[in-house]
Amino acid sequence: NVFVMRVIPFEEKYRDKCHEICIHTGSPDNLVNEEHRKFSLLMYCDPYLDHGKCFLLQDDQGEIQGYILCAESYASFKEYIQEYFEQIKKVAPSFVYRCDISEYEAYQEEYPAHLHVDILENCCGNGSGTLLMHTLLDALKKEHVPGIMVGVAKNNQRAFNFYQKMGFQILEEAEYGYILGQKL
C-alpha cells in the first residue's frame, strides 16, 4: 500500500486514536496488562497531548497513522508531569518506579525539548517519520528552542538509525540505551 501522508496538528478528537497508537507501538505488555497500558498513556502520551507540541500523521483516507509528541521545555515538563505521576500511583502502582525523567536533566540547558515518535508498522519506512520530524523541528526553530533530545533503547536499532539520519548525535550511552540530541 502506498499512502499519501500529510501532517496535521493534534486536535482533541484524535486523542483516542493517539492512545491506540501509543498502546500498539509500545511494549507488548500494553496489550495484555491493563496497569502497563495505563502507565504508558499517562507517561508517554497524555502529558504531551495536554501540554506539548504534537503533530499527527494522517493518510489519504483521513486515518491517523502516527504522531510526534514533544515537550518544548524540560523545566515546565518537570512541573506538569507531576500530576501524571500522581495518577500513575493510583491506577498503575506497579510502575511508580518508572516515574522518572532524570535522564533529561543533565541536558536541559542545551536541549530543553524532548520527543516521542510512534508510527503504526504499516506506515513505517516510507518517509512518514521524516515528514513528522521536519514538521516538529521547523516549528521548534520558529520558537527559538535551542535543542531537542530523545531517549532510544539499545534494542531499537531502527529508531537509532532514524534519529542519526535526522541529525541527532549521541549525548550519552547508558546500559539500556542512548540519549541523543540535536541543536536547532
Side-chain angles (χ1 to χ4, degrees):
N1 283 346
V2 176
F3 295 105
V4 177
M5 295 292 176
R6 68 188 191 118
V7 175
I8 62 169
F10 171 73
E11 293 178 53
E12 189 58 40
K13 66 183 177 181
Y14 297 120
R15 183 176 296 265
D16 288 346
K17 187 62 182 182
C18 290
H19 282 182
E20 186 181 314
I21 292 166
C22 179
I23 295 308
H24 287 279
T25 58
S27 167
D29 289 346
N30 284 332
L31 301 175
V32 295
N33 180 331
E34 185 177 353
E35 205 178 332
H36 196 284
R37 185 167 44 251
K38 288 176 178 177
F39 163 76
S40 293
L41 294 174
L42 287 167
M43 186 76 187
Y44 303 117
C45 193
D46 286 340
Y48 302 90
L49 296 179
D50 294 341
H51 300 279
K53 186 167 284 306
C54 306
F55 296 101
L56 310 179
L57 188 66
Q58 188 179 50
D59 68 19
D60 49 9
Q61 306 299 306
E63 292 296 314
I64 303 304
Q65 300 291 340
Y67 56 66
I68 191 165
L69 310 178
C70 175
E72 297 167 74
S73 158
Y74 173 81
S76 60
F77 180 74
K78 189 175 177 178
E79 295 296 316
Y80 65 71
I81 193 71
Q82 298 307 317
E83 70 181 89
Y84 299 90
F85 289 171
E86 290 302 315
Q87 290 177 53
I88 288 167
K89 284 179 191 169
K90 292 182 185 120
V91 301
S94 307
F95 293 92
V96 168
Y97 75 98
R98 291 185 52 194
C99 291
D100 180 17
I101 58 168
S102 60
E103 72 268 17
Y104 299 127
E105 188 125 12
Y107 304 102
Q108 66 175 313
E109 294 302 319
E110 289 184 272
Y111 307 94
H114 70 272
L115 70 105
H116 296 282
V117 178
D118 290 310
I119 300 171
L120 294 174
E121 187 60 41
N122 63 324
C123 292
C124 286
N126 64 359
S128 296
T130 301
L131 184 62
L132 280 170
M133 186 66 76
H134 282 305
T135 302
L136 175 64
L137 296 179
D138 289 347
L140 294 175
K141 286 174 188 172
K142 283 183 185 137
E143 294 177 17
H144 309 289
V145 175
I148 188 164
M149 63 182 140
V150 64
V152 182
K154 280 199 173 158
N155 64 2
N156 194 344
Q157 192 63 44
R158 181 162 73 176
F160 181 80
N161 293 342
F162 168 72
Y163 290 119
Q164 286 212 302
K165 183 185 95 178
M166 295 303 303
F168 284 74
Q169 307 290 319
I170 296 172
L171 302 176
E172 180 182 324
E173 181 175 350
E175 186 179 344
Y176 299 107
Y178 302 96
I179 301 286
L180 305 175
Q182 182 178 151
K183 292 199 172 168
L184 302 176

